[in-house]
Amino acid sequence: MLMLLLLLPVQVNVLLQAYISQLKLEGFALVSDMVYITQSAARLMRAVFEIVLHREWAQLADKTLALCKMIDRRM
């Protein structure tokens, strides 16, 4: 069980990078995980951007906005 919890952040990172890179995945489990990750990632990054913007951290706001755009536009 502990090993699964340690692999989860790695899986999220890999799936998010695959989504942004527009890679095609095979397998129902990977595709369903990809949908969940991409829907959640967009919302989470927008929330992080709003928090950073509210705290007036300009450089971090710029970077989080760029990440939001990458996720939304898959670039």
Side-chain angles (χ1 to χ4, degrees):
M1 182 68 178
L2 179 60
M3 188 62 163
L4 290 176
L5 292 176
L6 293 175
L7 288 178
L8 187 59
V10 174
Q11 182 182 10
V12 170
N13 186 13
V14 169
L15 287 174
L16 190 54
Q17 287 182 32
Y19 174 75
I20 291 171
S21 301
Q22 299 181 1
L23 295 177
K24 302 294 180 198
L25 297 178
E26 295 180 14
F28 178 74
L30 282 177
V31 172
S32 65
D33 286 348
M34 172 79 88
V35 169
Y36 178 76
I37 296 294
T38 55
Q39 289 174 346
S40 300
R43 286 193 304 267
L44 287 172
M45 282 310 301
R46 283 192 297 270
V48 170
F49 173 69
E50 291 293 329
I51 291 168
V52 169
L53 196 60
H54 180 71
R55 293 186 180 190
E56 298 179 358
W57 294 341
Q59 289 181 339
L60 194 53
D62 183 49
K63 291 178 182 179
T64 55
L65 180 59
L67 282 172
C68 288
K69 289 179 179 179
M70 285 181 208
I71 293 170
D72 287 340
R73 297 178 186 167
R74 293 180 73 170
M75 296 177 17

